[in-house]
Amino acid sequence: MRVCCLVLALLALPLPARADAFYCELPWFARNLIFDRAGYCFGSPLGQALFDNSDCIGTDVVLSDRDRAAVDHIRDLEAILDCAIDSAASRLEHQEALDRLRLLDVIPAPVEDESACVGYRGPVQSLRAAPGPDERVIGALRPGDDISFLFLNEGIWDYALVWSEGEDEADRRHGWAPVGLGHIDCDVHAG
């Protein structure tokens, strides 16, 4: 049975049932990673535990237009999901999975509804650290892979979580690729 069956089962659940720790930790971490890269100085125990304050410049940082729009979208998502992260904690429950976002040059904005491609039928494609054909390659999408889309696209670029049958969580690949759920050939489209 494909790992993606879990994704399909999650997609079938109503939103409140899916709003577990991961679905709140993901937007919180992505939003704060954007702020960290802009030089934000974190004051909470959780912020200080997860982000490096050694190079921070203050709490009034300037974000690019792209990052400002992403942060606004993420805050709206956190409100929709009714998320409340314990900022007095020292780590997040799903920290290892979230840390993958640190490899990216452009942090994607999570969305409310996940979609998936089960059994990708296209050519091998590079997974990149940012949307764009000349960006740094951090992985590959191969025929037969399953793909989860849980983030806003950037033009023709989607941030994809990718895995093959039999791979465990640690083997998952990720990155930006010029694919989209409605534009790629898959055995099954979900979401």
Side-chain angles (χ1 to χ4, degrees), residues 58-121:
T59 57
D60 187 21
V61 296
V62 177
L63 299 177
S64 68
D65 290 344
R66 184 265 172 214
D67 285 347
R68 169 58 48 210
V71 165
D72 290 345
H73 169 82
I74 293 169
R75 283 186 171 142
D76 290 345
L77 176 62
E78 288 173 304
I80 289 168
L81 295 175
D82 195 26
C83 291
I85 298 295
D86 179 7
S87 61
S90 60
R91 70 178 268 103
L92 296 171
E93 183 179 337
H94 298 92
Q95 191 59 54
E96 290 79 19
L98 296 169
D99 277 338
R100 291 185 185 139
L101 294 176
R102 294 181 194 274
L103 298 174
L104 300 173
D105 298 332
V106 172
I107 308 304
V111 294
E112 182 178 352
D113 297 313
E114 185 173 7
S115 56
C117 161
V118 179
Y120 170 66
R121 295 185 196 166

Side-chain angles (χ1 to χ4, degrees), residues 116-183:
C117 161
V118 179
Y120 170 66
R121 295 185 196 166
V124 173
Q125 291 198 44
S126 295
L127 297 170
R128 300 187 179 275
D134 299 323
E135 301 296 335
R136 182 169 50 92
V137 174
I138 59 173
L141 170 61
R142 299 181 297 262
D145 284 345
D146 297 330
I147 310 166
S148 177
F149 299 100
L150 188 58
F151 301 87
L152 282 178
N153 65 331
E154 304 254 344
I156 66 166
W157 293 84
D158 281 289
Y159 178 76
L161 299 171
V162 180
W163 67 96
S164 296
E165 188 171 352
E167 285 182 332
D168 63 19
E169 181 72 24
D171 295 323
R172 289 198 176 175
R173 290 160 275 133
H174 64 98
W176 292 94
V179 297
L181 187 61
H183 307 286

